[in-house]
Every structure is written in structure tokens, then in C-alpha cells.
Amino acid sequence: MTPTTQARCSPFRAAMPAMWLLSSALLWAPLAQASAVPACSGAAPSGTLSATRVPGSAPASSEPGLYEGPVWIGDALYFSDFSFGPGFPSRIRRLGPDGKLSTAILDSGSNGLAVDARGNIVAATHSVKGVVRLELASGKRSLLAGTFQGQVFNSPNDLAIGADGTIYFTDPSFQRAAAPGGQDATRVYRVAPGGKVTVVDAGIVNPNGIALSPAGDMLYVSGGGEHGVVRAYPIVGGVPGEGRELVGGVAVPDGMTVDCQGNLYVTEHAAQRLRVFSPAGKELAVIKVDANITNAAFGGADGKTLFMTGAGALWQIRLGLPGKPY
């Protein structure tokens, strides 16, 4: 199948316009989850499983790159498609209910994606080194978090959104060369409703995947490279506490998601697999793929299809219970 192009949003401007620097409460009001996870019933995966490639999802270009940041919105899957060329040019693709791929947003500059309460995409972007809201209907773009202590971020990678609109995101250095500037360390950040940015953790080298428990009372972050970890941070009064190691020995951890029971689905990039862990950190299952893997999200009409992105590849596997859409 030959992908089609349906651009909805104009490219980013070379310089960030003043209109992007929005901090009013109205900007943050709709940032809760867009849709609830379907009723939680069924069993978590177990044993060793294999995912299959989505038909017609191969890249249109032969230039090396990655698919990243899957998010299910409405009846379609959206994901970032970026190359390793100068600036890491990126666009957002859409896999529709008819199985056809199209380009939903040109020049998105994005990596990880989430969805807000109005069905808009919230993106971790390396092009402007910030967190940006992309309104699918109007094409409007709003910068939600652009600096910390007067400097832009390194290359925001993945994000999660709490029910109150709080945004958590990871900021490794993988695409730091996409634009000038950056931070002196790689960190995990919290963006409060209203826009204030604070540090959650500065002790993980290149933090990558991030997710919230179904109840929103636990934040999970993966990172650390070859000898990676998953850390868990209890959230009390809306603020994450000190993190503890939940899972060790994770080989190059990348993105992750959770199911309705709170089980974690952690991708291991170069190992070409996703491992499923209970909320207590016990391994439940392994899902194998046939290329380097980057991230995962639940979707489909009943929320029980797990979609995974990777090196020019998109996979799917039917599971026994639903999960979060990013």
C-alpha cells in the first residue's frame, strides 16, 4: 500500500513566536485524559508471545529513521515518523480504521505523543526542544513548556499526562543536535497546571519511557542505557516523591505503557522485545518483534490491541485486557 499525504498543520516557524508563550489557566484546563480506558476485565499476557507487522506500514522513504510515540485517538493510531537526517525531521502518521496510512501532521518535530481531553495531540518535540500541543482540528500549535532555568530542553522524548493536567516528560540527549541549546544534564520534569516546570529526577542517564499508573498515584520512568532500570515514584498530593528501583537489568529501555490492571509494558530497544511486569516488578510476559523497538500503546475498538513502534516498523498483537492509549 502506498501511503497518502493529508497535511493538517503548517510547519513550525524557524523562531518561536511570542503567541506560543502561553501560560493562562485556559491553556491547561483541557489537559486531562481524552478518553477513559475501557472496563478492566480479562487476563494479563503470560509466557513468550510474538507480535506481527501491521500490513502496509513500511516507511515510504529509504532514509534510516524510527517510528515513535504511538497514541490511539478516536478510531485511529497516530505516531511520529522521524529520520536521522540533519534536525531529525519528523512528521506524524495516522493509521486509519481502513488500515491505510496517511500523514496527519507535517513537520511536527515530534517524538513521544500523548492525547489531551479534547482529543488533541500533546507532543515531546526535539525541533523546538519543548512540549507542544497540536490541535488536530484547527492546526493550531501551543508551546506548553519550553525552558527550564532560562534554557531550552535537550530533546524531550516521551510524556504522560495526569488527570489534573499535570505533564511529566523525559529529556534525554538523543536528538539534542536538532536545534541549538540545551540543558547541562538529562532529567525527568513535571509541568504543573499553569506551566511551572520542576525536576522529578536528575539521576537517570538519558531517561526515556514514562507512564502513570491507572489511578495516577504512581509515576514510572525507564532509562539508563545498556544496564537500564525502571523507577517508581509515589505521587502524593499531586507531587512525585523519591523514586525507587522497580525493575533492574533492562536492556536499553525505551518507551512504555500500562494496562488497566497497572501492569507495565516496557520496550527494550536493541533486544527487540517488550517485557510485561506486574506493579510489583515481577516479569509476566515477553513479546518479541523483528526489529529495534521504541514504544507501545493500546488501541482498537475495545482497547485490547497493543501497538508497538520501532525502526521503520509498526507491530500489533491482540491481548486479553485493555490499556492506556499511549
Side-chain angles (χ1 to χ4, degrees):
M1 178 179 65
T2 301
T4 59
T5 300
Q6 297 175 346
R8 297 182 182 176
C9 293
S10 59
F12 280 103
R13 299 180 184 179
M16 289 184 288
M19 60 177 282
W20 278 27
L21 304 179
L22 305 176
S23 59
S24 70
L26 290 176
L27 180 64
W28 291 87
L31 283 178
Q33 298 272 348
S35 57
V37 172
C40 191
S41 62
S46 62
T48 300
L49 308 169
S50 294
T52 59
R53 292 206 178 204
V54 174
S57 61
S61 171
S62 60
E63 187 175 1
L66 295 173
Y67 289 171
E68 254 285 12
V71 58
W72 185 267
I73 302 176
D75 61 355
L77 182 78
Y78 296 80
F79 59 93
S80 295
D81 175 3
F82 71 87
S83 77
F84 298 143
F88 302 93
S90 177
R91 57 180 173 166
I92 294 177
R93 310 295 301 281
R94 178 182 185 271
L95 178 69
D98 58 0
K100 293 183 179 179
L101 272 182
S102 61
T103 297
I105 301 176
L106 284 172
D107 193 22
S108 60
S110 61
N111 193 314
L113 306 176
V115 57
D116 72 17
R118 295 183 179 178
N120 300 310
I121 289 175
V122 179
T125 67
H126 47 260
S127 60
V128 297
K129 298 194 170 188
V131 176
V132 174
R133 183 169 63 191
L134 308 171
E135 298 184 17
L136 288 171
S138 67
K140 181 182 178 182
R141 304 185 182 204
S142 304
L143 184 66
L144 303 179
T147 61
F148 175 69
Q149 295 183 342
Q151 299 293 328
V152 295
F153 300 102
N154 295 312
S155 58
N157 185 279
D158 205 358
L159 39 74
I161 306 175
D164 65 350
T166 300
I167 298 173
Y168 302 94
F169 72 96
T170 56
D171 186 40
S173 60
F174 301 132
Q175 287 83 47
R176 195 177 194 273
Q183 294 290 322
D184 59 359
T186 59
R187 304 182 179 97
V188 182
Y189 293 97
R190 175 183 185 268
V191 187
K196 183 179 179 180
V197 179
T198 54
V199 174
V200 173
D201 196 330
I204 302 177
V205 177
N206 283 325
N208 199 323
I210 192 165
L212 284 164
S213 64
D217 57 356
M218 191 72 71
L219 178 71
Y220 301 102
V221 177
S222 65
E226 292 289 341
H227 306 288
V229 299
V230 176
R231 287 186 183 174
Y233 308 77
I235 298 176
V236 180
V239 179
E242 184 176 352
R244 63 178 177 86
E245 183 176 309
L246 180 69
V247 180
V250 185
V252 192
D254 211 314
M256 59 182 168
T257 189
V258 299
D259 66 25
C260 63
Q261 293 178 352
N263 302 308
L264 283 165
Y265 293 66
V266 182
T267 63
E268 292 179 290
H269 186 81
Q272 301 183 0
R273 67 186 181 187
L274 177 149
R275 285 200 283 167
V276 184
F277 299 94
S278 73
K282 178 184 177 181
E283 183 176 311
L284 303 177
V286 176
I287 301 175
K288 294 184 176 181
V289 295
D290 60 358
N292 288 359
I293 185 171
T294 59
N295 216 326
F298 283 87
D302 60 1
K304 294 183 180 181
T305 298
L306 184 69
F307 293 94
M308 290 156 280
T309 52
L314 182 64
W315 300 274
Q316 62 185 354
I317 185 171
R318 289 286 297 167
L319 297 178
L321 75 175
K324 286 199 171 184
Y326 64 89

